[in-house]
Amino acid sequence: MRIDPLKKREDAKVSLVEGDFYALLGGNSNRKSLKVDVPDVNARIDSGDFWVRQDVSGAKFTNYDDDRVEIDAHGDRVSLGRNEGVVIRSGERPRAKIDLLETPSLLAPADDGLVYNAMAEVSWQGVDGASGYWLEVARDPNFNHMVDSASGLTETRFTLKGLDIGTYYWRIAALDQFGLPGQRSLARRFVMRIDTAAPFLRLTEPVSDMIYREANVGVSGETEPGVSISINGRTAPVSDDGSFQLILSLEAGQNHLDFLARDAAGNETKRGFHHYIRDKNFKTD
């Protein structure tokens, strides 16, 4: 970075030997332009949002801003506008400009959603024409403190492991057949919590080992709010205070009831009870 105090201007230059360079520049700078030099390529960048890659195969440029990216290589020039990219093979002139792929839609977890126990599965909607995806995860909304950056993902989901407690931000870009990243999605955030405690479960009726004369038996109990309850595979609605009730139709003879309570973290509590239903035609002396 060079600063000219007389002209009150900043001039910046980056020389990229190999790797990726992504820039999202603030709008309050006095910078007039940014020069990016890669082998055999010179770029003058007025854009505030762009990406450059250099490797043995050549250089790649993308622009996500209305301001231009001007590229000179081997006596030819190409000017990139918003959501345009170009591939420059080693020793060759720039190829035709390419329209970048659309932004993927993020699916899960929901924005400000909760995930548990150091693991989070993120998923997104696929983009037509995508050959892969680029996932970025950070601890801050500006993605200055990166946690993970996974490029070339072929599936539309990815499992993050070993996360600490706290807030995380993530975003996705689709990669085309040339490896150019399309428009990045807006970032979502989720909160990681640790919860390994099994949910509370108390049954009020029916009473275990009781003998009933009616086939329809009322089932009720209490658990924690937000916990799901299933009884022999049937889901019982749980109220905001954690209470639940369900009517089950049992068979004559002995019946076994399996109760399963599962919380949002995947912790489970199981209970099993036996109940006997006398045949409705049973007669006493």
Side-chain angles (χ1 to χ4, degrees):
M1 176 75 73
R2 291 182 177 179
I3 301 176
D4 187 335
L6 297 179
K7 296 181 179 180
K8 297 182 179 180
R9 189 181 73 179
E10 299 173 352
D11 294 321
K13 179 179 179 180
V14 174
S15 295
L16 182 62
V17 177
E18 185 176 9
D20 290 86
F21 178 63
Y22 171 64
L24 181 60
L25 306 177
N28 58 352
S29 172
N30 291 324
R31 178 185 65 89
K32 296 302 181 182
S33 64
L34 173 67
K35 292 183 179 180
V36 176
D37 290 343
V38 300
D40 300 322
V41 179
N42 294 317
R44 177 183 174 88
I45 299 176
D46 296 319
S47 170
D49 190 358
F50 63 93
W51 171 85
V52 183
R53 177 171 178 80
Q54 167 66 25
D55 57 29
V56 294
S57 66
K60 300 174 183 178
F61 289 80
T62 61
N63 183 21
Y64 309 101
D65 197 359
D66 287 329
D67 292 326
R68 312 297 291 186
V69 173
E70 305 286 346
I71 304 165
D72 292 304
H74 299 283
D76 203 353
R77 169 173 289 192
V78 62
S79 178
L80 300 181
R82 176 181 284 272
N83 297 325
E84 292 182 335
V86 69
V87 175
I88 306 172
R89 301 296 185 188
S90 295
E92 299 180 7
R93 294 182 177 184
R95 297 191 174 189
K97 293 190 294 185
I98 300 169
D99 291 330
L100 302 180
L101 295 179
E102 297 180 354
T103 304
S105 298
L106 307 186
L107 299 179
D111 200 17
D112 284 330
L114 297 177
V115 294
Y116 296 90
N117 302 337
M119 184 178 298
E121 183 175 275
V122 297
S123 62
W124 56 93
Q125 186 70 42
V127 174
D128 291 340
S131 62
Y133 298 92
W134 182 5
L135 166 67
E136 294 177 295
V137 184
R139 294 303 299 263
D140 68 298
N142 294 322
F143 288 79
N144 293 322
H145 304 284
M146 298 293 294
V147 174
D148 201 351
S149 179
S151 184
L153 302 177
T154 57
E155 298 184 355
T156 56
R157 63 179 62 247
F158 187 79
T159 301
L160 299 163
K161 300 179 180 179
L163 300 180
D164 296 327
I165 297 174
T167 301
Y168 293 82
Y169 298 81
W170 66 288
R171 62 188 180 188
I172 292 288
L175 303 175
D176 65 15
Q177 60 180 327
F178 303 104
L180 297 178
Q183 307 170 52
R184 286 171 173 79
S185 67
L186 295 177
R188 274 190 182 180
R189 65 183 178 185
F190 62 83
V191 178
M192 172 60 65
R193 292 182 178 177
I194 302 299
D195 180 4
T196 58
F200 162 76
L201 176 62
R202 185 174 74 90
L203 305 177
T204 55
E205 63 175 349
V207 179
S208 184
D209 295 323
M210 282 287 292
I211 297 176
Y212 293 83
R213 295 182 180 273
E214 298 293 333
N216 292 330
V217 176
V219 178
S220 62
E222 294 178 321
T223 187
E224 302 168 14
V227 169
S228 64
I229 295 290
S230 66
I231 307 161
N232 287 4
R234 287 188 57 188
T235 301
V238 179
S239 64
D240 292 340
D241 62 3
S243 62
F244 63 89
Q245 56 183 0
L246 186 68
I247 301 297
L248 292 179
S249 181
L250 305 181
E251 302 291 334
Q254 182 169 282
N255 292 264
H256 185 76
L257 301 184
D258 290 315
F259 291 78
L260 174 63
R262 180 184 288 113
D263 64 17
N267 303 305
E268 296 181 347
T269 298
K270 298 179 180 180
R271 297 282 189 273
F273 295 91
H274 292 281
H275 302 282
Y276 190 84
I277 302 296
R278 281 186 171 178
D279 192 294
K280 64 181 180 178
N281 296 321
F282 178 84
K283 296 182 179 180
T284 60
D285 295 335

